[in-house]
Amino acid sequence: MLPEIDKYKGKSPDKGSIKKMNLLAKDYAVLLKRYSKVVTEGKDLDSVIKVPELGLTEAPKCSQLLSSLKDDLRCATTIFMEDFIGSGGVECLLEVLRVCQARQNDTKAPKGRYQQTMQKKISSSQYDCLLCLKYTVQNPKSVIRVTDDAHGLSSICSCFMSTSPKSRILALQLLVRVLEISSRGHALILEALTAIRVLFGEPVRFKFLVGLLQSSIASPPAFQTAALKFLNTLLKTSPRPADRIRLQCELEEAGLDINALETELRARCVPCTDSVWAEIEVWRKSYLDMEHVTGGKHNLETENELS
């Protein structure tokens, strides 16, 4: 059991009662940084570490720490959130996310039941890490920390490759938040997607994401809603119509077919009240037809010449 701290008090979102935070915000940052270092050195994510400077005889395991942090961030007060951000907590979460991904993609790891158990733990920690980030980016200062981190957005984009649909959805929601808050978000996310394409050997950007989106087996409507919302927001934040058209073409080259997706959803009897239909409608209404745009421009130029 983690020691409770009286410094922060927040209301529980479930019962409305006063909840004590489990640790100081800065202590979370210290422990997260220590765990990312331990894993980088080749040890397990849930290795027992000693942190005498925090007054703990034995630190909680990383999975316990993330679970505790997740609960604290969910009902965090402004002062707790500010302290966590100021202590570098967002960067520490991104670093833990990176080491989780490195472990998941480690082809040299021994096979067997133990490794399967560890992969499940890592996948669970990745999900908790993303959920913690989702809570933190409700504060715009956290979004700045994510965009300023050299590999922050590429780490989040890498979660598209996760075996957990829930982690994929969280990653997409995080990217939408970045696009909504940061003026640099659009360009930086495209850069991150380019890095992911190279890292995972995609022939074009968005190939894996679109493949999941169009898949009727691998993707529940919740994922398809999140993916479409991300793509719609990415297109919406394009600086110019020409950039938007290029992105549309790139997505179609990657295999995006809204008509086929709609047919598949109807075949699966997805309720008309599901949010995925609203996102499809947004796509259709905001779609820029290249011939229509260039034709309109040509007509306008002709009218100007005649006048």
Side-chain angles (χ1 to χ4, degrees):
M1 180 68 67
L2 295 175
E4 291 191 327
I5 304 296
D6 290 328
K7 179 180 178 182
Y8 311 108
K9 290 184 179 180
K11 285 190 175 182
S12 169
D14 298 326
K15 300 180 181 179
S17 57
I18 297 298
K19 179 188 181 301
K20 294 180 180 179
M21 300 294 106
N22 293 305
L23 281 174
L24 290 170
K26 64 179 182 179
D27 291 348
Y28 274 119
V30 169
L31 288 167
L32 287 170
K33 189 177 295 184
R34 188 68 59 86
Y35 272 117
S36 62
K37 183 179 179 182
V38 163
V39 177
T40 303
E41 292 171 350
K43 297 181 181 179
D44 291 336
L45 196 63
D46 265 353
S47 299
V48 176
I49 61 173
K50 295 180 180 180
V51 194
E53 65 268 31
L54 299 184
L56 299 174
T57 54
E58 186 177 296
K61 293 180 179 180
C62 189
S63 56
Q64 295 172 329
L65 184 70
L66 287 170
S67 181
S68 173
L69 177 59
K70 175 181 64 178
D71 290 339
D72 282 352
L73 288 172
R74 185 165 56 99
C75 55
T77 57
T78 302
I79 186 172
F80 180 89
M81 188 66 78
E82 292 282 350
D83 283 357
F84 184 73
I85 296 168
S87 300
V90 174
E91 292 87 344
C92 290
L93 282 171
L94 290 169
E95 183 59 31
V96 171
L97 186 62
R98 278 192 284 274
V99 297
C100 284
Q101 291 165 346
R103 277 303 176 89
Q104 281 186 321
N105 300 327
D106 186 6
T107 56
K108 297 180 180 179
K111 308 298 180 183
R113 185 172 297 177
Y114 173 77
Q115 182 61 17
Q116 290 177 351
T117 302
M118 288 306 300
Q119 286 293 333
K120 287 181 180 178
K121 284 185 178 181
I122 291 170
S123 180
S124 177
S125 293
Q126 181 189 58
Y127 172 77
D128 284 344
C129 200
L130 287 167
L131 194 53
C132 287
L133 284 167
K134 181 182 177 180
Y135 291 141
T136 61
V137 296
Q138 299 311 306
N139 186 313
K141 292 180 181 178
S142 289
V143 176
I144 296 173
R145 297 291 183 123
V146 171
T147 54
D148 284 349
D149 188 275
H151 305 288
L153 288 171
S154 58
S155 297
I156 295 171
C157 289
S158 292
C159 293
F160 294 165
M161 306 296 177
S162 172
T163 56
S164 168
K166 294 191 298 182
S167 291
R168 293 171 184 163
I169 290 170
L170 280 175
L172 289 163
Q173 291 172 341
L174 280 167
L175 294 176
V176 168
R177 178 65 175 168
V178 171
L179 287 167
E180 290 173 341
I181 297 297
S182 174
S183 59
R184 302 165 57 218
H186 181 89
L188 291 174
I189 286 173
L190 287 180
E191 286 179 14
L193 289 169
T194 299
I196 295 305
R197 181 189 70 79
V198 174
L199 181 63
F200 291 99
E202 290 182 297
V204 293
R205 287 188 301 192
F206 304 104
K207 185 67 176 178
F208 187 78
L209 178 61
V210 169
L212 288 173
L213 175 60
Q214 300 282 164
S215 171
S216 61
I217 298 174
S219 301
F223 171 80
Q224 291 169 319
T225 301
L228 281 173
K229 184 173 181 61
F230 165 63
L231 295 178
N232 282 331
T233 309
L234 189 65
L235 289 168
K236 180 182 177 181
T237 53
S238 297
R240 300 175 302 167
D243 297 318
R244 183 172 186 146
I245 290 173
R246 274 195 290 270
L247 263 180
Q248 287 175 177
C249 293
E250 189 175 352
L251 287 165
E252 288 167 353
E253 184 183 354
L256 182 61
D257 186 338
I258 293 296
N259 291 330
L261 176 61
E262 188 171 4
T263 301
E264 186 62 42
L265 289 169
R266 293 192 188 283
R268 290 161 60 186
C269 300
V270 175
C272 61
T273 54
D274 196 282
S275 301
V276 70
W277 297 112
E279 292 303 327
I280 288 176
E281 186 65 18
V282 170
W283 172 275
R284 292 195 183 284
K285 285 184 176 180
S286 59
Y287 187 85
L288 290 182
D289 184 88
M290 187 164 59
E291 291 183 3
H292 176 74
V293 172
T294 54
K297 182 179 179 182
H298 176 73
N299 292 337
L300 182 61
E301 290 174 350
T302 304
E303 289 175 7
N304 289 336
E305 288 174 2
L306 291 173
S307 61

